[in-house]
Amino acid sequence: MTDGHDDQAAVIDVIDDIDDVDDVLEVLEAAGIVVDGFTEEQRQVFRSLSAEELALLLEIKGRLDAVEPEVQAHGVVAGGALF
């Protein structure tokens, strides 16, 4: 298992190279976050994220994605009950 801090630092390095605030939305979309449904106000919030905040958001998204199959399997096995 990799150190989450090291992963986040690498993502921050990439994010620091973003030239345009709209690139933030492209990064989110590339990570699988559907940005089309965001209001303009929500888009502005995401555009204003610092590199550290964006990296943290992407790290959390990655961690949620990593457990998604397990959660889906429990949903099927347990008839959709969450535990």
Side-chain angles (χ1 to χ4, degrees), residues 1-82:
M1 180 188 257
T2 62
D3 180 358
H5 181 72
D6 290 341
D7 292 343
Q8 188 176 7
V11 172
I12 290 171
D13 288 341
V14 171
I15 293 168
D16 281 339
D17 292 335
I18 293 176
D19 294 328
D20 187 334
V21 293
D22 285 325
D23 289 346
V24 171
L25 297 176
E26 292 175 16
V27 168
L28 293 173
E29 198 163 42
I33 297 173
V34 180
V35 299
D36 291 341
F38 291 169
T39 66
E40 186 54 38
E41 292 81 8
Q42 291 169 326
R43 288 172 179 269
Q44 192 56 42
V45 168
F46 283 105
R47 287 180 186 122
S48 69
L49 293 176
S50 69
E52 292 82 7
E53 290 169 327
L54 184 54
L56 179 60
L57 178 63
L58 295 175
E59 179 185 344
I60 292 169
K61 168 82 166 81
R63 290 167 56 192
L64 289 171
D65 288 349
V67 297
E68 186 175 72
E70 181 179 343
V71 172
Q72 288 177 345
H74 283 146
V76 172
V77 171
L82 297 177

